[in-house]
Amino acid sequence: MVADAMSALQRRYGKTHRKDRWWVEPLLSGGGLAAFLLYSTVAVVVGPNWSYEVGPYLSPMFEPLIRPDWLPRWFSPGFLILWAPAGFRTTCYYYRRTYYRSYFLSPPACAVAEPAATYSGESKFPLILQNVHRYFMYVALVFNVLLWVGAVKSYWMPGEGLGIGVGSIVMTLNAFFLMMYSLGCHSLRHWVAGGLNSFSRTPIRRLRRKAWEIFTIANEKHRMWAWTSMIFVGLTDLYIRLVANGVITDIHTWKSF
Amino acid sequence: MPTANLKVWRGDDSGDYQNYQVEYGHGEVVLDVIHKLQATQAGDLAVRWNCKAGKCGSCSAEINGHPRLQCMTRMEIFEEGEEIVIAPLKTYKLIRDLVTDVSVNFEKAKTIPFVDLEKPAPGDVRRMAQMDIDRVQEFHKCIECFICMDVCHVIRDHPDNMDKFVGPRYFVQLAMVAMHPLDQHPKREMVAYGFGLEYCNITKCCTEVCPEGIHITDNAIIPLKERRVDELYDPLRMIGRALFGKK
Ligand code: SF4
Ligand code: SF4
Ligand code: FES
Ligand code: FES
């Protein structure tokens, strides 16, 4: 009964009285996400036909490179690893916020009525699956290490040795941004000490709290790192491909590519 | 003196907006202007307020569609002559004009358990380290303005969820108890069922509007959701519990 009275009242009040441009944020972030999704899908699908490695560089979309002999040539090795970063970002608390707002309009913006008649949040299938986020986080931590290894290797040209190129710097930045994004993960923050009620009881707990404090710094800027790392993965991939396919030349200290 | 062009909700559910012109001075807030309106043109206008200092949480309203405190909204933020729509909180049952019945919150408050403190060691008193209470300190800043509850789409747009979902203000309260360094409730009891954590889709409107700047989503709701995953959805922990007994 109370519910009826309230919704009747809301109908009277209208959808929203906000006069600011509340639709700009969901539109921009929704558009940004869509653009990245499109780019990364195309980048992975055309993988084998548009070279993604050159000299010591390898596109982060293919790191770690798993290319067994039995793999048909048309099948992009990107698909073998794509599930990990895709799952990590899809179930990330920040990305959830963003696509719930931009794509599900649930709600489109604060104090703007949402169109759906019923709502069950994350209590039912399929959205209940968001609870697996921490497992993607564990996998993402491994990917972080692999991307750092890739970044370090980008300073070593086989046959020539140590050197440096714009690509090495780009790959290092890429690994760094991904690390900052991953360290700010809410599940990681919970895992390292957030689940404790008392931090002070043992020396190990005090150490865990230190880590929690550090992760919290990254966590407070999780949104910024999410975007920076996402855009940069795309740019790194694009850069390496442009170099690999001879569209632009990489400035570097080696002679053989 | 500049003149405010107000559009204020008058009456109960069957009421409507009315337009008023009210002069205001430098440094005034919306609540000042509402008081002036009450004193000069609308003697029967109902508005709830107490402190005029952003601390009692009474004067919440929706100003140009933004849930906020009337006493903390400066007139300077509006263009001169701009229409300023002042409406009551939409999530609650309207009593009259700008006053709503927020008592449903007091029912919700009763569902949040009290902290169950550990006993001190014999001959000692209870002790807490500063580093342990720093985290819950933030939750004590809540002034119970219920603006976060008002903006939350789970109940704002779907009043049928009102009974299943305690809402952001009470997630803050729950976090305060659940993360208390001396609380000894079993973790499962604090997060698994009955509070409706699973209905929140972490879209963060509560955090955006909280006048006390409490990180409701990041520091209360998401950590509680993570604890809920520990209890209900983490297969490794399930195996651990089966093998080594209840943690
Ligand atoms: S973050 Fe959750 S509790 Fe806060 S307003 Fe959004 S749905 Fe409601
Ligand atoms: S959490 Fe913030 S917005 Fe919610 S009732 Fe408390 S002070 Fe108000
Ligand atoms: S919450 Fe964003 S990565 Fe885990
Ligand atoms: S009158 Fe107390 S918060 Fe506004």
Side-chain angles (χ1 to χ4, degrees):
Chain A
M1 192 203 74
V2 173
D4 287 350
M6 282 194 296
S7 48
L9 190 64
Q10 278 176 19
R11 278 197 294 276
R12 279 208 56 135
Y13 284 134
K15 267 163 72 94
T16 186
H17 273 121
R18 282 183 65 167
K19 296 197 283 185
D20 55 335
R21 284 180 288 165
W22 55 262
W23 39 269
V24 170
E25 200 257 11
L27 198 69
L28 284 183
S29 36
L33 275 188
F36 179 76
L37 270 176
L38 193 73
Y39 177 82
S40 51
T41 313
V42 172
V44 171
V45 171
V46 303
N49 303 313
W50 205 44
S51 189
Y52 45 79
E53 51 184 337
V54 58
Y57 309 150
L58 167 67
S59 158
M61 293 196 184
F62 297 85
E63 184 83 74
L65 191 55
I66 306 171
R67 207 168 27 189
D69 292 339
W70 48 261
L71 201 69
R73 204 187 109 63
W74 52 265
F75 187 89
S76 171
F79 283 121
L80 296 178
I81 53 156
L82 184 71
W83 58 272
F88 185 46
R89 292 199 190 246
T90 308
T91 56
C92 160
Y93 285 95
Y94 169 70
Y95 283 98
R96 270 144 80 182
R97 169 207 175 272
T98 303
Y99 61 72
Y100 286 147
R101 283 192 187 203
S102 297
Y103 298 156
F104 292 51
L105 306 178
S106 175
C110 302
V112 177
E114 70 176 78
T118 57
Y119 173 86
S120 56
E122 299 183 332
S123 67
K124 294 199 179 113
F125 183 81
L127 293 182
I128 198 170
L129 293 179
Q130 306 280 27
N131 289 310
V132 304
H133 181 59
R134 58 180 57 179
Y135 284 93
F136 283 114
M137 181 268 289
Y138 300 141
V139 177
L141 292 183
V142 177
F143 271 69
N144 265 277
V145 175
L146 295 173
L147 280 166
W148 271 116
V149 171
V152 170
K153 283 208 295 205
S154 74
Y155 293 86
W156 186 269
M157 178 71 194
E160 274 198 66
L162 207 58
I164 184 170
V166 175
S168 338
I169 298 168
V170 170
M171 284 178 69
T172 308
L173 280 175
N174 180 59
F176 173 74
F177 292 147
L178 185 75
M179 179 184 80
M180 292 311 289
Y181 168 60
S182 310
L183 290 187
C185 171
H186 286 278
S187 295
L188 181 64
R189 188 173 175 237
H190 169 77
W191 176 77
V192 74
L196 299 173
N197 280 15
S198 162
F199 299 129
S200 65
R201 288 198 183 171
T202 63
I204 298 278
R205 284 188 176 205
R206 286 197 283 276
L207 207 67
R208 287 173 67 182
R209 175 184 179 260
K210 265 274 160 279
W212 180 80
E213 275 181 336
I214 294 168
F215 294 172
T216 299
I217 298 172
N219 177 267
E220 283 168 352
K221 293 265 178 292
H222 197 47
R223 166 195 184 134
M224 183 194 85
W225 293 119
W227 282 101
T228 319
S229 62
M230 187 177 85
I231 294 170
F232 216 78
V233 171
L235 291 180
T236 310
D237 175 79
L238 186 65
Y239 180 79
I240 291 173
R241 288 185 181 223
L242 291 178
V243 172
N245 293 279
V247 184
I248 54 172
T249 337
D250 180 63
I251 303 169
H252 52 70
T253 58
W254 299 289
K255 288 185 208 79
S256 56
F257 85 96
Chain B
M1 284 222 276
T3 304
N5 182 10
L6 304 182
K7 188 168 162 184
V8 184
W9 183 267
R10 296 303 315 270
D12 56 14
D13 284 7
S14 52
D16 210 341
Y17 287 101
Q18 278 193 30
N19 293 307
Y20 300 97
Q21 310 286 321
V22 184
E23 287 193 335
Y24 64 95
H26 180 70
E28 291 193 357
V29 294
V30 167
L31 187 60
D32 290 315
V33 179
I34 286 290
H35 282 160
K36 240 180 236 175
L37 172 62
Q38 216 180 22
T40 56
Q41 302 172 45
D44 61 342
L45 174 72
V47 58
R48 190 189 279 131
W49 68 287
N50 279 284
C51 68
K52 236 199 90 184
K55 281 292 168 244
C56 72
S58 312
C59 65
S60 314
E62 299 195 9
I63 303 170
N64 281 351
H66 290 279
R68 53 199 305 168
L69 297 174
Q70 294 174 68
C71 71
M72 298 305 278
T73 306
R74 290 185 162 272
M75 291 302 291
E76 270 98 339
I77 66 170
F78 306 106
E79 304 271 337
E80 209 185 316
E82 172 187 345
E83 183 180 76
I84 306 171
V85 181
I86 306 179
L89 300 181
K90 294 175 190 172
T91 300
Y92 300 108
K93 205 168 162 304
L94 183 60
I95 298 177
R96 187 161 69 83
D97 303 338
L98 300 179
V99 179
T100 48
D101 177 5
V102 293
S103 60
V104 60
N105 291 305
F106 309 136
E107 296 309 314
K108 290 180 183 299
K110 291 181 197 160
T111 67
I112 308 297
F114 283 116
V115 64
D116 178 12
L117 293 176
E118 274 172 27
K119 293 225 170 353
D124 201 356
V125 291
R126 288 194 178 92
R127 291 176 195 281
M128 293 186 284
Q130 186 62 41
M131 75 162 74
D132 289 339
I133 49 171
D134 280 345
R135 175 167 52 165
V136 287
Q137 205 87 326
E138 176 185 13
F139 307 137
H140 287 261
K141 292 195 300 183
C142 173
I143 58 171
E144 300 215 298
C145 62
F146 304 128
I147 289 179
C148 55
M149 303 285 283
D150 178 58
V151 82
C152 178
H153 72 118
V154 177
I155 43 183
R156 181 185 179 92
D157 294 332
H158 308 283
D160 50 309
N161 287 330
M162 195 59 114
D163 297 334
K164 300 178 238 168
F165 175 77
V166 295
R169 190 274 167 268
Y170 294 100
F171 291 141
V172 168
Q173 177 97 14
L174 187 64
M176 198 162 97
V177 180
M179 296 175 196
H180 191 288
L182 296 182
D183 182 64
Q184 39 178 13
H185 280 100
K187 288 204 165 145
R188 193 183 188 89
E189 214 173 278
M190 303 302 281
V191 290
Y193 302 109
F195 303 108
L197 278 162
E198 65 277 29
Y199 284 89
C200 166
N201 68 353
I202 40 138
T203 33
K204 281 196 155 176
C205 290
C206 49
T207 307
E208 272 182 34
V209 297
C210 176
E212 281 295 313
I214 301 173
H215 298 86
I216 307 176
T217 333
D218 289 353
N219 289 348
I221 300 178
I222 294 177
L224 289 172
K225 272 184 172 260
E226 282 294 316
R227 287 174 183 224
R228 195 165 178 274
V229 179
D230 284 350
E231 297 301 323
L232 298 179
Y233 303 113
D234 189 328
L236 283 186
R237 282 182 188 256
M238 283 176 204
I239 297 170
R241 273 194 293 267
L243 290 182
F244 308 110
K246 207 162 160 45
K247 249 189 26 170

